[in-house]
Short mmCIF file of all heavy atoms in Angstrom, two decimals:
data_model
loop_
_atom_site.label_atom_id
_atom_site.label_comp_id
_atom_site.label_asym_id
_atom_site.label_seq_id
_atom_site.Cartn_x
_atom_site.Cartn_y
_atom_site.Cartn_z
N LEU A 72 10.74 -30.57 -8.87
CA LEU A 72 10.75 -30.96 -7.46
C LEU A 72 9.51 -31.77 -7.09
O LEU A 72 9.47 -32.40 -6.05
CB LEU A 72 10.84 -29.71 -6.56
CG LEU A 72 12.13 -28.91 -6.65
CD1 LEU A 72 12.10 -27.77 -5.65
CD2 LEU A 72 13.34 -29.78 -6.37
N HIS A 73 8.50 -31.72 -7.93
CA HIS A 73 7.26 -32.44 -7.62
C HIS A 73 7.20 -33.79 -8.32
O HIS A 73 6.24 -34.51 -8.16
CB HIS A 73 6.05 -31.60 -8.03
CG HIS A 73 6.10 -30.24 -7.45
ND1 HIS A 73 6.11 -30.02 -6.09
CD2 HIS A 73 6.19 -29.03 -8.02
CE1 HIS A 73 6.20 -28.74 -5.86
NE2 HIS A 73 6.25 -28.12 -7.01
N ARG A 74 8.18 -34.08 -9.17
CA ARG A 74 8.16 -35.36 -9.87
C ARG A 74 8.20 -36.52 -8.88
O ARG A 74 8.83 -36.42 -7.82
CB ARG A 74 9.38 -35.45 -10.79
CG ARG A 74 9.02 -35.09 -12.22
CD ARG A 74 10.14 -35.50 -13.11
NE ARG A 74 10.80 -34.32 -13.62
CZ ARG A 74 12.10 -34.16 -13.68
NH1 ARG A 74 12.90 -35.09 -13.23
NH2 ARG A 74 12.61 -33.08 -14.18
N PRO A 75 7.56 -37.65 -9.22
CA PRO A 75 7.66 -38.80 -8.33
C PRO A 75 9.13 -39.16 -8.11
O PRO A 75 9.92 -39.12 -9.06
CB PRO A 75 6.94 -39.92 -9.10
CG PRO A 75 6.09 -39.21 -10.10
CD PRO A 75 6.78 -37.92 -10.42
N PRO A 76 9.49 -39.47 -6.89
CA PRO A 76 10.90 -39.70 -6.57
C PRO A 76 11.37 -41.06 -7.03
O PRO A 76 11.40 -42.01 -6.27
CB PRO A 76 10.93 -39.60 -5.05
CG PRO A 76 9.54 -39.98 -4.63
CD PRO A 76 8.62 -39.58 -5.72
N HIS A 77 11.80 -41.15 -8.27
CA HIS A 77 12.19 -42.45 -8.80
C HIS A 77 13.69 -42.72 -8.76
O HIS A 77 14.11 -43.82 -9.03
CB HIS A 77 11.70 -42.61 -10.24
CG HIS A 77 10.23 -42.79 -10.31
ND1 HIS A 77 9.56 -43.69 -9.52
CD2 HIS A 77 9.29 -42.15 -11.04
CE1 HIS A 77 8.26 -43.61 -9.78
NE2 HIS A 77 8.07 -42.68 -10.69
N GLY A 78 14.52 -41.74 -8.50
CA GLY A 78 15.94 -42.06 -8.56
C GLY A 78 16.84 -41.01 -7.96
O GLY A 78 16.40 -39.94 -7.56
N THR A 79 18.09 -41.31 -7.94
CA THR A 79 19.05 -40.43 -7.29
C THR A 79 19.17 -39.09 -8.00
O THR A 79 19.43 -38.09 -7.38
CB THR A 79 20.45 -41.07 -7.24
OG1 THR A 79 20.77 -41.49 -8.54
CG2 THR A 79 20.49 -42.21 -6.27
N SER A 80 19.01 -39.09 -9.33
CA SER A 80 19.23 -37.83 -10.03
C SER A 80 18.18 -36.81 -9.61
O SER A 80 18.48 -35.65 -9.40
CB SER A 80 19.18 -38.05 -11.54
OG SER A 80 17.88 -38.44 -11.91
N TRP A 81 16.91 -37.31 -9.42
CA TRP A 81 15.86 -36.39 -8.97
C TRP A 81 16.22 -35.80 -7.60
O TRP A 81 16.19 -34.60 -7.39
CB TRP A 81 14.52 -37.14 -8.88
CG TRP A 81 13.45 -36.31 -8.23
CD1 TRP A 81 12.69 -35.35 -8.83
CD2 TRP A 81 13.07 -36.32 -6.86
NE1 TRP A 81 11.84 -34.78 -7.92
CE2 TRP A 81 12.05 -35.34 -6.69
CE3 TRP A 81 13.47 -37.05 -5.74
CZ2 TRP A 81 11.44 -35.10 -5.48
CZ3 TRP A 81 12.85 -36.80 -4.53
CH2 TRP A 81 11.85 -35.83 -4.41
N MET A 82 16.64 -36.72 -6.69
CA MET A 82 16.93 -36.29 -5.33
C MET A 82 18.15 -35.36 -5.30
O MET A 82 18.14 -34.36 -4.62
CB MET A 82 17.20 -37.53 -4.47
CG MET A 82 16.96 -37.29 -2.99
SD MET A 82 15.23 -36.91 -2.67
CE MET A 82 15.28 -36.69 -0.91
N SER A 83 19.13 -35.70 -6.10
CA SER A 83 20.34 -34.89 -6.12
C SER A 83 20.04 -33.49 -6.62
O SER A 83 20.51 -32.50 -6.09
CB SER A 83 21.40 -35.52 -7.02
OG SER A 83 21.76 -36.76 -6.47
N THR A 84 19.18 -33.39 -7.68
CA THR A 84 18.82 -32.07 -8.21
C THR A 84 18.16 -31.24 -7.12
O THR A 84 18.50 -30.09 -6.91
CB THR A 84 17.84 -32.24 -9.40
OG1 THR A 84 18.43 -33.11 -10.31
CG2 THR A 84 17.55 -30.92 -10.05
N GLY A 85 17.21 -31.90 -6.41
CA GLY A 85 16.51 -31.18 -5.35
C GLY A 85 17.47 -30.75 -4.26
O GLY A 85 17.43 -29.63 -3.78
N ASP A 86 18.39 -31.64 -3.90
CA ASP A 86 19.34 -31.32 -2.83
C ASP A 86 20.22 -30.15 -3.20
O ASP A 86 20.45 -29.25 -2.40
CB ASP A 86 20.23 -32.53 -2.55
CG ASP A 86 19.46 -33.59 -1.79
OD1 ASP A 86 18.39 -33.24 -1.24
OD2 ASP A 86 19.89 -34.71 -1.75
N ARG A 87 20.72 -30.17 -4.44
CA ARG A 87 21.60 -29.08 -4.85
C ARG A 87 20.88 -27.75 -4.73
O ARG A 87 21.39 -26.79 -4.21
CB ARG A 87 22.08 -29.30 -6.29
CG ARG A 87 23.41 -30.06 -6.37
CD ARG A 87 24.08 -29.78 -7.69
NE ARG A 87 23.25 -30.15 -8.82
CZ ARG A 87 23.12 -31.39 -9.28
NH1 ARG A 87 23.77 -32.37 -8.71
NH2 ARG A 87 22.35 -31.65 -10.32
N GLU A 88 19.62 -27.77 -5.21
CA GLU A 88 18.83 -26.53 -5.20
C GLU A 88 18.67 -26.01 -3.76
O GLU A 88 18.97 -24.88 -3.45
CB GLU A 88 17.43 -26.85 -5.77
CG GLU A 88 16.45 -25.71 -5.70
CD GLU A 88 16.56 -24.83 -6.91
OE1 GLU A 88 17.27 -25.25 -7.85
OE2 GLU A 88 15.98 -23.75 -6.91
N VAL A 89 18.23 -26.93 -2.90
CA VAL A 89 17.93 -26.54 -1.53
C VAL A 89 19.20 -26.24 -0.76
O VAL A 89 19.31 -25.23 -0.08
CB VAL A 89 17.12 -27.65 -0.84
CG1 VAL A 89 16.97 -27.36 0.63
CG2 VAL A 89 15.76 -27.76 -1.50
N ASP A 90 20.20 -27.14 -0.91
CA ASP A 90 21.42 -26.97 -0.15
C ASP A 90 22.12 -25.68 -0.51
O ASP A 90 22.60 -24.96 0.35
CB ASP A 90 22.36 -28.16 -0.36
CG ASP A 90 21.86 -29.38 0.41
OD1 ASP A 90 20.98 -29.20 1.28
OD2 ASP A 90 22.31 -30.48 0.14
N SER A 91 22.14 -25.35 -1.82
CA SER A 91 22.84 -24.12 -2.18
C SER A 91 22.07 -22.92 -1.65
O SER A 91 22.66 -21.94 -1.21
CB SER A 91 23.03 -24.03 -3.69
OG SER A 91 21.78 -23.95 -4.31
N ALA A 92 20.73 -23.02 -1.65
CA ALA A 92 19.94 -21.91 -1.12
C ALA A 92 20.19 -21.71 0.36
O ALA A 92 20.13 -20.63 0.89
CB ALA A 92 18.46 -22.15 -1.37
N GLU A 93 20.48 -22.79 1.05
CA GLU A 93 20.68 -22.69 2.49
C GLU A 93 22.14 -22.59 2.88
O GLU A 93 22.45 -22.47 4.06
CB GLU A 93 20.10 -23.94 3.17
CG GLU A 93 18.60 -24.03 3.05
CD GLU A 93 18.11 -25.21 3.84
OE1 GLU A 93 18.33 -26.34 3.40
OE2 GLU A 93 17.55 -24.99 4.90
N GLY A 94 23.02 -22.69 1.92
CA GLY A 94 24.44 -22.64 2.21
C GLY A 94 24.93 -23.91 2.87
O GLY A 94 25.89 -23.91 3.63
N VAL A 95 24.28 -25.02 2.61
CA VAL A 95 24.68 -26.30 3.19
C VAL A 95 25.19 -27.18 2.06
O VAL A 95 24.57 -27.25 1.00
CB VAL A 95 23.48 -27.00 3.87
CG1 VAL A 95 23.89 -28.36 4.40
CG2 VAL A 95 22.97 -26.12 4.99
N ALA A 96 26.35 -27.86 2.29
CA ALA A 96 26.88 -28.74 1.23
C ALA A 96 25.94 -29.92 1.02
O ALA A 96 25.08 -30.19 1.85
CB ALA A 96 28.26 -29.23 1.63
N GLY A 97 26.12 -30.64 -0.10
CA GLY A 97 25.14 -31.67 -0.48
C GLY A 97 25.20 -32.93 0.36
O GLY A 97 25.37 -34.03 -0.17
N THR A 98 25.06 -32.79 1.67
CA THR A 98 25.15 -33.94 2.57
C THR A 98 24.10 -34.99 2.24
O THR A 98 24.37 -36.18 2.18
CB THR A 98 24.93 -33.49 4.03
OG1 THR A 98 25.65 -32.31 4.22
CG2 THR A 98 25.35 -34.56 5.00
N THR A 99 22.88 -34.53 1.97
CA THR A 99 21.79 -35.47 1.77
C THR A 99 21.99 -36.27 0.49
O THR A 99 21.58 -37.42 0.39
CB THR A 99 20.44 -34.73 1.74
OG1 THR A 99 20.48 -33.73 2.74
CG2 THR A 99 19.30 -35.67 2.00
N SER A 100 22.63 -35.64 -0.51
CA SER A 100 22.93 -36.37 -1.74
C SER A 100 23.81 -37.56 -1.43
O SER A 100 23.62 -38.66 -1.95
CB SER A 100 23.65 -35.48 -2.74
OG SER A 100 22.84 -34.40 -3.05
N ARG A 101 24.79 -37.33 -0.55
CA ARG A 101 25.71 -38.42 -0.19
C ARG A 101 24.94 -39.51 0.55
O ARG A 101 25.09 -40.69 0.30
CB ARG A 101 26.87 -37.89 0.66
CG ARG A 101 27.89 -37.09 -0.15
CD ARG A 101 29.19 -36.96 0.61
NE ARG A 101 29.06 -36.22 1.86
CZ ARG A 101 29.01 -34.88 1.93
NH1 ARG A 101 29.09 -34.16 0.83
NH2 ARG A 101 28.89 -34.27 3.08
N ILE A 102 24.08 -39.08 1.45
CA ILE A 102 23.27 -40.05 2.20
C ILE A 102 22.43 -40.87 1.23
O ILE A 102 22.34 -42.08 1.32
CB ILE A 102 22.35 -39.32 3.21
CG1 ILE A 102 23.19 -38.67 4.28
CG2 ILE A 102 21.35 -40.28 3.81
CD1 ILE A 102 22.42 -37.71 5.14
N TRP A 103 21.83 -40.16 0.26
CA TRP A 103 20.98 -40.83 -0.71
C TRP A 103 21.73 -41.92 -1.46
O TRP A 103 21.24 -43.01 -1.67
CB TRP A 103 20.45 -39.78 -1.70
CG TRP A 103 19.53 -40.39 -2.70
CD1 TRP A 103 19.82 -40.79 -3.96
CD2 TRP A 103 18.16 -40.70 -2.50
NE1 TRP A 103 18.73 -41.32 -4.57
CE2 TRP A 103 17.69 -41.28 -3.69
CE3 TRP A 103 17.29 -40.55 -1.41
CZ2 TRP A 103 16.39 -41.70 -3.84
CZ3 TRP A 103 15.99 -40.97 -1.57
CH2 TRP A 103 15.55 -41.54 -2.77
N ARG A 104 22.97 -41.61 -1.84
CA ARG A 104 23.73 -42.58 -2.63
C ARG A 104 24.01 -43.86 -1.85
O ARG A 104 24.06 -44.93 -2.40
CB ARG A 104 25.02 -41.94 -3.14
CG ARG A 104 24.79 -41.07 -4.38
CD ARG A 104 26.10 -40.77 -5.08
NE ARG A 104 26.99 -39.97 -4.25
CZ ARG A 104 26.95 -38.64 -4.18
NH1 ARG A 104 26.06 -37.97 -4.89
NH2 ARG A 104 27.78 -37.98 -3.41
N VAL A 105 24.18 -43.75 -0.53
CA VAL A 105 24.51 -44.94 0.26
C VAL A 105 23.28 -45.61 0.86
O VAL A 105 23.37 -46.68 1.42
CB VAL A 105 25.52 -44.63 1.40
CG1 VAL A 105 26.81 -44.11 0.83
CG2 VAL A 105 24.92 -43.66 2.41
N ALA A 106 22.11 -44.99 0.72
CA ALA A 106 20.94 -45.51 1.42
C ALA A 106 20.38 -46.75 0.74
O ALA A 106 20.45 -46.89 -0.48
CB ALA A 106 19.86 -44.42 1.46
N ALA A 107 19.78 -47.62 1.56
CA ALA A 107 19.09 -48.79 1.04
C ALA A 107 17.80 -48.34 0.35
O ALA A 107 17.25 -47.29 0.69
CB ALA A 107 18.76 -49.73 2.20
N PRO A 108 17.28 -49.13 -0.63
CA PRO A 108 16.08 -48.71 -1.35
C PRO A 108 14.90 -48.36 -0.44
O PRO A 108 14.21 -47.37 -0.66
CB PRO A 108 15.77 -49.93 -2.23
CG PRO A 108 17.08 -50.62 -2.41
CD PRO A 108 17.86 -50.36 -1.15
N ALA A 109 14.68 -49.16 0.60
CA ALA A 109 13.54 -48.89 1.49
C ALA A 109 13.71 -47.54 2.18
O ALA A 109 12.76 -46.78 2.37
CB ALA A 109 13.41 -49.99 2.53
N THR A 110 14.96 -47.23 2.55
CA THR A 110 15.23 -45.96 3.22
C THR A 110 15.01 -44.79 2.25
O THR A 110 14.50 -43.75 2.61
CB THR A 110 16.68 -45.94 3.72
OG1 THR A 110 16.91 -47.16 4.39
CG2 THR A 110 16.90 -44.77 4.64
N ARG A 111 15.43 -45.04 1.00
CA ARG A 111 15.21 -44.00 -0.01
C ARG A 111 13.73 -43.66 -0.10
O ARG A 111 13.35 -42.51 -0.20
CB ARG A 111 15.68 -44.49 -1.38
CG ARG A 111 17.18 -44.57 -1.49
CD ARG A 111 17.57 -44.97 -2.88
NE ARG A 111 19.00 -45.10 -2.99
CZ ARG A 111 19.63 -45.35 -4.12
NH1 ARG A 111 18.95 -45.49 -5.23
NH2 ARG A 111 20.93 -45.44 -4.15
N LEU A 112 12.90 -44.71 -0.07
CA LEU A 112 11.46 -44.48 -0.17
C LEU A 112 10.97 -43.64 1.00
O LEU A 112 10.15 -42.73 0.85
CB LEU A 112 10.70 -45.80 -0.21
CG LEU A 112 10.62 -46.46 -1.58
CD1 LEU A 112 9.87 -47.77 -1.48
CD2 LEU A 112 9.92 -45.54 -2.57
N THR A 113 11.48 -43.95 2.21
CA THR A 113 11.07 -43.19 3.40
C THR A 113 11.42 -41.72 3.23
O THR A 113 10.61 -40.83 3.45
CB THR A 113 11.78 -43.74 4.65
OG1 THR A 113 11.56 -45.13 4.69
CG2 THR A 113 11.27 -43.09 5.91
N ILE A 114 12.68 -41.50 2.81
CA ILE A 114 13.14 -40.11 2.64
C ILE A 114 12.30 -39.41 1.58
O ILE A 114 11.82 -38.29 1.75
CB ILE A 114 14.62 -40.06 2.23
CG1 ILE A 114 15.50 -40.65 3.32
CG2 ILE A 114 15.04 -38.64 1.92
CD1 ILE A 114 16.95 -40.79 2.92
N ALA A 115 12.08 -40.12 0.47
CA ALA A 115 11.37 -39.51 -0.65
C ALA A 115 9.94 -39.16 -0.26
O ALA A 115 9.43 -38.11 -0.62
CB ALA A 115 11.39 -40.46 -1.84
N ALA A 116 9.29 -40.06 0.49
CA ALA A 116 7.90 -39.81 0.90
C ALA A 116 7.83 -38.57 1.79
O ALA A 116 6.97 -37.71 1.62
CB ALA A 116 7.34 -41.03 1.62
N GLU A 117 8.79 -38.47 2.72
CA GLU A 117 8.81 -37.30 3.61
C GLU A 117 9.05 -36.03 2.82
O GLU A 117 8.41 -35.01 3.02
CB GLU A 117 9.92 -37.45 4.65
CG GLU A 117 9.53 -38.35 5.80
CD GLU A 117 10.44 -38.11 6.99
OE1 GLU A 117 10.83 -36.95 7.20
OE2 GLU A 117 10.76 -39.07 7.69
N TRP A 118 10.02 -36.15 1.90
CA TRP A 118 10.36 -34.99 1.08
C TRP A 118 9.14 -34.52 0.27
O TRP A 118 8.81 -33.34 0.20
CB TRP A 118 11.51 -35.40 0.15
CG TRP A 118 11.87 -34.38 -0.88
CD1 TRP A 118 11.55 -34.41 -2.19
CD2 TRP A 118 12.61 -33.18 -0.67
NE1 TRP A 118 12.04 -33.32 -2.83
CE2 TRP A 118 12.70 -32.53 -1.92
CE3 TRP A 118 13.19 -32.59 0.44
CZ2 TRP A 118 13.36 -31.34 -2.08
CZ3 TRP A 118 13.84 -31.38 0.27
CH2 TRP A 118 13.92 -30.79 -0.96
N HIS A 119 8.44 -35.51 -0.31
CA HIS A 119 7.28 -35.21 -1.13
C HIS A 119 6.21 -34.49 -0.30
O HIS A 119 5.64 -33.49 -0.72
CB HIS A 119 6.72 -36.53 -1.66
CG HIS A 119 6.18 -36.41 -3.03
ND1 HIS A 119 6.98 -36.28 -4.13
CD2 HIS A 119 4.91 -36.38 -3.49
CE1 HIS A 119 6.23 -36.19 -5.21
NE2 HIS A 119 4.97 -36.25 -4.85
N ALA A 120 5.96 -35.02 0.92
CA ALA A 120 4.94 -34.42 1.78
C ALA A 120 5.35 -33.00 2.16
O ALA A 120 4.53 -32.08 2.17
CB ALA A 120 4.77 -35.28 3.03
N GLU A 121 6.63 -32.80 2.46
CA GLU A 121 7.10 -31.47 2.85
C GLU A 121 6.96 -30.48 1.70
O GLU A 121 6.58 -29.34 1.89
CB GLU A 121 8.57 -31.53 3.30
CG GLU A 121 8.76 -32.15 4.67
CD GLU A 121 8.01 -31.40 5.77
OE1 GLU A 121 8.00 -30.16 5.74
OE2 GLU A 121 7.44 -32.06 6.63
N VAL A 122 7.27 -30.95 0.50
CA VAL A 122 7.15 -30.06 -0.66
C VAL A 122 5.69 -29.63 -0.83
O VAL A 122 5.40 -28.46 -1.10
CB VAL A 122 7.67 -30.74 -1.95
CG1 VAL A 122 7.22 -29.98 -3.19
CG2 VAL A 122 9.19 -30.80 -1.92
N ALA A 123 4.75 -30.57 -0.61
CA ALA A 123 3.34 -30.22 -0.75
C ALA A 123 2.95 -29.15 0.26
O ALA A 123 2.27 -28.18 -0.07
CB ALA A 123 2.48 -31.48 -0.57
N VAL A 124 3.42 -29.30 1.50
CA VAL A 124 3.10 -28.32 2.54
C VAL A 124 3.71 -26.96 2.19
O VAL A 124 3.07 -25.92 2.26
CB VAL A 124 3.61 -28.80 3.92
CG1 VAL A 124 3.51 -27.71 4.97
CG2 VAL A 124 2.84 -30.02 4.36
N LEU A 125 4.98 -26.99 1.77
CA LEU A 125 5.68 -25.73 1.43
C LEU A 125 4.99 -25.03 0.28
O LEU A 125 4.83 -23.81 0.27
CB LEU A 125 7.13 -26.04 1.05
CG LEU A 125 8.02 -26.49 2.20
CD1 LEU A 125 9.31 -27.07 1.68
CD2 LEU A 125 8.29 -25.33 3.14
N ARG A 126 4.56 -25.84 -0.69
CA ARG A 126 3.89 -25.27 -1.87
C ARG A 126 2.61 -24.54 -1.44
O ARG A 126 2.31 -23.45 -1.87
CB ARG A 126 3.57 -26.42 -2.81
CG ARG A 126 3.14 -26.01 -4.17
CD ARG A 126 3.21 -27.22 -5.09
NE ARG A 126 2.84 -26.81 -6.43
CZ ARG A 126 1.60 -26.94 -6.90
NH1 ARG A 126 0.67 -27.48 -6.18
NH2 ARG A 126 1.32 -26.54 -8.13
N HIS A 127 1.85 -25.19 -0.54
CA HIS A 127 0.61 -24.61 -0.04
C HIS A 127 0.88 -23.28 0.66
O HIS A 127 0.24 -22.28 0.39
CB HIS A 127 -0.05 -25.60 0.92
CG HIS A 127 -1.26 -25.07 1.60
ND1 HIS A 127 -2.50 -25.07 1.01
CD2 HIS A 127 -1.41 -24.47 2.82
CE1 HIS A 127 -3.36 -24.51 1.84
NE2 HIS A 127 -2.74 -24.15 2.94
N HIS A 128 1.90 -23.27 1.56
CA HIS A 128 2.22 -22.04 2.30
C HIS A 128 2.74 -20.95 1.37
O HIS A 128 2.39 -19.77 1.53
CB HIS A 128 3.25 -22.33 3.39
CG HIS A 128 2.68 -23.12 4.53
ND1 HIS A 128 1.46 -22.85 5.08
CD2 HIS A 128 3.15 -24.21 5.19
CE1 HIS A 128 1.20 -23.72 6.04
NE2 HIS A 128 2.21 -24.56 6.12
N ALA A 129 3.55 -21.35 0.37
CA ALA A 129 4.10 -20.35 -0.55
C ALA A 129 2.98 -19.71 -1.36
O ALA A 129 2.96 -18.49 -1.57
CB ALA A 129 5.12 -21.00 -1.48
N ALA A 130 2.01 -20.52 -1.79
CA ALA A 130 0.89 -19.98 -2.57
C ALA A 130 0.08 -19.02 -1.72
O ALA A 130 -0.32 -17.94 -2.17
CB ALA A 130 0.01 -21.12 -3.09
N ALA A 131 -0.16 -19.40 -0.45
CA ALA A 131 -0.92 -18.52 0.44
C ALA A 131 -0.18 -17.21 0.67
O ALA A 131 -0.78 -16.14 0.66
CB ALA A 131 -1.17 -19.22 1.77
#
Side-chain angles (χ1 to χ4, degrees):
L72 294 184
H73 306 300
R74 262 193 249 136
H77 288 311
T79 51
S80 66
W81 172 81
M82 203 64 180
S83 296
T84 306
D86 286 344
R87 268 202 302 279
E88 174 87 10
V89 172
D90 285 345
S91 64
E93 294 185 288
V95 176
T98 317
T99 320
S100 300
R101 286 198 297 280
I102 293 168
W103 182 263
R104 280 196 296 274
V105 299
T110 312
R111 288 183 182 185
L112 277 179
T113 308
I114 297 173
E117 280 199 36
W118 173 256
H119 216 73
E121 286 301 320
V122 165
V124 170
L125 290 167
R126 192 166 182 264
H127 174 82
H128 289 316

